[in-house]
Amino acid sequence: MPRPDSLTVRVLLTALVAFGPLSTDLYLPSLPTLVSVFDTDIATVQLTLSVFLAGFAVSQLVYGPVSDRFGRRPALLGGILIYLVASAACALTDDIETLIVARFFQALGACCGPVVARAVVRDVFGRDRAATVLAYMAMAMTLAPAAGPILGGVLTEWFGWRSNFLLLTGFAALILAATWTLMGETNANRDETALQPGRLLANYALLLRDRGFVGQMLTVAFAYSGIFAFISGSSFVLIGRLHLTPAQFGASFGAVVLGYAVGSFLAGRLSVRLGGPRMIRTGTAVSLAGGLLGVGLALGGVLHLAAVIAPVFLFLLGAGLTLPNAMAGAVGPYPMMAGLASSLVGFVQMTVAALIGVVLGHSHADSQLPMMTAIGLVALGAALAHRLLVSPRT
């Protein structure tokens, strides 16, 4: 097998982290179509997103301790297999209720990717280099949300909404084969007590008593929730209100995601030199500026493609600076329970994002203002979490 720090393994880890965004972004252009296909409403269709995040959040609490106990490789192989079966079920369903349930199980499998991949990075690269590696992985990973809606829009127009889930099924089969062939075990400190209820509770309590950990965790959760607010509401705003075609929506979505790619690239180049705390302060300030701009334009009644794209681009630029550094800051101090720390951060991250999605689904999500308000509020939350809980200690 290749060395765990080889380029081949880094590419595979990036693909594993991409399970989440690819599973949400690929079928975004088909969301308005699903409303008519299943004769339902926007709120019900958006449950396919929110339930995915709920399943993603719950399984976060499982994969980390399991990988700490049994190793990273078994946790990955089991999760990818679940994802493959659930993706096939999504493609074959004939009613919205079954699709929602299948999406939940798809999330249970997809979650193995980011949780275990982050723990592998901590295993292989240590605390100091983790932020840089995670940033470059995030930059490469933007191919998924950038290309996903574009490809999904073309597939939806040419072959229908089912083709998106058939593609995810094929992707899962490819990654399963690659993981089996290329991924060796990286957990050299397996904890035989990691799954004991008493030990789990004690470890969670240890993490939650750490003010710095909580601050980094909330920073990650709020920054990601702004991204999900755009994911959840963008198709209904850009397609429903601005009347873009699915393919045009995909191109616009890809342009916005470039902001995250640029931010992640800068994080990879500058994090070691400038330090994580400074990068996070800069990133949260940039995101807050984008959020406030978007709210101001929405309140002013400016309904134009640029009035949506420009503020979210700025928000994502800041998120690209923030997320890898905040994640490394949370997981880095705990090498003996890197999986558990990654799980807890991911659980809170996905829970907050799922709640944002539910609220948007019941807030006339085809309007620009609710989406922009959500982005502005979580940007403020990320800035305050880091300033009040983390900065005093750094």
Side-chain angles (χ1 to χ4, degrees), residues 73-370:
R73 179 179 161 87
L76 283 173
L77 293 173
I80 298 169
L81 183 59
I82 294 172
Y83 181 88
L84 191 157
V85 174
S87 297
C90 288
L92 298 175
T93 184
D94 289 320
D95 60 84
I96 189 65
E97 293 79 12
T98 304
L99 179 60
I100 291 171
V101 173
R103 284 283 289 171
F104 179 81
F105 282 96
Q106 189 186 38
L108 296 185
C111 181
C112 75
V115 172
V116 182
R118 288 193 297 257
V120 170
V121 169
R122 179 60 182 85
D123 293 339
V124 176
F125 297 99
R127 177 176 180 175
D128 294 336
R129 294 178 59 200
T132 297
V133 175
L134 287 171
Y136 283 130
M137 285 173 58
M139 182 183 67
M141 193 187 68
T142 55
L143 292 174
I150 298 174
L151 179 59
V154 172
L155 288 174
T156 299
E157 288 188 359
W158 289 4
F159 304 108
W161 65 271
R162 296 180 192 275
S163 59
N164 295 308
F165 293 107
L166 289 173
L167 180 61
L168 291 177
T169 305
F171 177 72
L174 177 64
I175 298 302
L176 181 63
T179 301
W180 179 271
T181 304
L182 302 174
M183 179 63 71
E185 183 55 59
T186 64
N187 184 4
N189 301 299
R190 298 187 197 182
D191 183 358
E192 294 184 358
T193 66
L195 294 175
Q196 294 178 4
R199 179 62 181 274
L200 274 174
L201 292 175
N203 286 342
Y204 281 130
L206 175 65
L207 292 172
L208 294 174
R209 284 197 300 267
D210 183 343
R211 178 174 173 174
F213 174 86
V214 172
Q216 302 281 27
M217 178 177 66
L218 292 176
T219 301
V220 169
F222 286 130
Y224 178 79
S225 293
I227 298 174
F228 186 72
F230 179 68
I231 291 173
S232 182
S234 59
S235 61
F236 297 103
V237 173
L238 298 180
I239 295 176
R241 296 278 292 184
L242 294 177
H243 308 296
L244 272 62
T245 67
Q248 290 171 334
F249 165 78
S252 300
F253 194 97
V256 169
V257 170
L258 285 177
Y260 189 73
V262 172
S264 299
F265 173 76
L266 293 174
R269 293 296 298 271
L270 301 175
S271 292
V272 173
R273 186 189 315 169
L274 301 180
R278 184 174 178 183
M279 296 297 292
I280 296 172
R281 286 194 294 271
T282 303
T284 53
V286 172
S287 290
L288 182 57
L292 293 177
L293 175 62
V295 172
L297 291 172
L299 289 174
V302 182
L303 184 59
H304 186 275
L305 182 61
V308 177
I309 298 302
V312 181
F313 181 94
L314 195 58
F315 175 87
L316 287 177
L317 174 64
L321 297 172
T322 299
L323 282 170
N325 284 285
M327 181 61 71
V331 176
Y334 297 97
M336 295 300 294
M337 51 173 134
L340 184 75
S342 177
S343 288
L344 186 55
V345 173
F347 171 75
V348 174
Q349 169 188 342
M350 293 299 168
T351 299
V352 174
L355 292 174
I356 292 291
V358 171
V359 171
L360 282 178
H362 292 83
S363 301
H364 305 289
D366 61 342
S367 169
Q368 182 184 2
L369 183 58

